[in-house]
Amino acid sequence: MINDKRVLIIIPAWNEAASIGDVIREVRGELPEVDLLVVDDGSTDDTTKVARAAGATVTTLPYNLGVGGAMRLGYRYAYEHDYDVAIQVDADGQHDPRYVPKLVDRLDDASLVIGARFAGEGDYAVRGPRKWTMVMLSAVLSRMAKTKLTDTTSGFRACNRDIIRLFAEWYPVEYLGDTVETTVRVIRLKHKVVQVPVAMRARQAGTPSHSPAKAMVYLGRAFITLLLAIARR
C-alpha cells in the first residue's frame, strides 16, 4: 500500500536474466509495501527462473509479443486482482523505484502519470533523430493534453483504476503503441495526464539498440504511429 492504495509494479521482460534479479531486489528493498509482477515475454534465457528466485510473481507468455503484449497481460492481472494503481518499471534497471511514491502521489489529481527524463532532473540525454522524434511527439501530445509533457516515450508510468480497466481491455502491441498511442487514447477519453521529473540510469545489462540507421527508422515509425493514433477513433 502507498497512500492507502494497492499498488502493483509490472515489469515486462524479454531475455533480461542478467538484470532482472537485481531490479526485483531493488524494488523489494525500496518498496516492500507493493506487489510485483514480472511478465516474461517469451524469453529464451533464464528470465523466469531468475525472477522467481528473486521473489517476484511471474507470468510467462509462450512467445514474444513485444512490450505492448506483455503490458496488456500485466494490466489484465492488475484489474482482475483489484489493484488501485499499476506502475510499469523496465527490466533493464533504468527506472529508479525511489520515484514510485512521487508518481503515486500525482494520481490524486490525474489518471496517468509519466516519469519524465527531460523535466529538469538527472542528466539523461539523447541526440540526433531520436531527440527530434521525442521533441516532436512531446510538442503534439502536450498540445492535446493542455499541459507540458517532455517525455512521451517514457515507459516509466503509473495509472489509476480507470486506466487499468481501459488497458486491460485495450492496449496496442504495435511499435511505440505502449507509449504514444496509449497516451493519445487516454487524453481523448478526457483523462488527465501529467508528468513527474525523474532521473534515468544506464542499463544494468544488455546492449542499447542505437545506430544512425536505427535512429532514422525510429523517427519514421514514431511519426507514422502518431498519425495513426490521432486518426483512430
Side-chain angles (χ1 to χ4, degrees):
M1 303 281 285
I2 299 178
N3 295 347
D4 295 323
K5 298 180 177 71
R6 293 188 66 229
V7 178
L8 176 69
I9 289 183
I10 304 168
I11 304 180
W14 180 53
N15 292 338
E16 297 283 4
S19 61
I20 190 67
D22 288 339
V23 170
I24 293 167
R25 284 185 285 272
E26 182 181 26
V27 172
R28 289 289 190 208
E30 295 290 342
L31 304 165
E33 67 275 30
V34 308
D35 292 334
L36 196 154
L37 173 71
V38 171
V39 182
D40 185 339
D41 188 22
S43 297
T44 56
D45 66 0
D46 290 330
T47 293
T48 289
K49 180 180 178 180
V50 173
R52 284 180 175 150
T57 299
V58 182
T59 184
T60 303
L61 291 168
Y63 48 85
N64 179 249
L65 293 179
V67 65
M71 287 304 300
R72 182 189 294 176
L73 179 57
Y75 285 117
R76 187 172 300 168
Y77 180 98
Y79 179 68
E80 291 177 351
H81 289 80
D82 295 319
Y83 285 95
D84 302 305
V85 175
I87 301 176
Q88 178 180 344
V89 172
D90 286 353
D92 58 15
Q94 292 192 79
H95 298 162
D96 189 335
R98 289 176 295 182
Y99 288 99
V100 165
K102 293 185 178 181
L103 271 64
V104 176
D105 285 345
R106 286 308 311 271
L107 287 173
D108 287 341
D109 66 340
S111 296
L112 178 65
V113 181
I114 301 171
R117 291 167 284 189
F118 315 113
E121 189 153 346
D123 55 2
Y124 191 96
V126 293
R127 292 176 292 276
R130 292 183 69 85
K131 181 177 181 179
W132 310 337
T133 302
M134 291 177 178
V135 169
M136 179 268 293
L137 293 173
S138 294
V140 174
L141 294 181
S142 292
R143 186 177 180 86
M144 293 180 66
K146 296 180 174 60
T147 189
K148 187 174 183 180
L149 301 174
T150 61
D151 190 11
T152 51
T153 62
S154 171
F156 192 16
R157 29 181 79 196
C159 64
N160 65 13
R161 180 71 177 169
D162 289 339
I163 306 303
I164 290 173
R165 183 185 303 111
L166 169 67
F167 288 167
E169 298 172 352
W170 169 90
Y171 202 84
V173 298
E174 296 87 357
Y175 184 76
L176 285 179
D178 61 302
T179 53
V180 175
E181 187 167 357
T182 54
T183 305
V184 170
R185 182 70 178 273
V186 169
I187 293 169
R188 282 193 159 166
L189 291 173
K190 308 301 183 183
H191 292 284
K192 186 176 180 180
V193 179
V194 299
Q195 68 178 24
V196 168
V198 301
M200 295 282 186
R201 306 178 295 197
R203 293 176 60 97
Q204 290 185 10
T207 303
S209 56
H210 298 319
S211 73
K214 288 181 179 179
M216 291 305 297
V217 171
Y218 179 89
L219 175 60
R221 287 181 172 179
F223 185 71
I224 292 170
T225 298
L226 179 61
L227 289 179
L228 289 174
I230 293 174
R232 286 174 178 168
R233 295 293 178 181

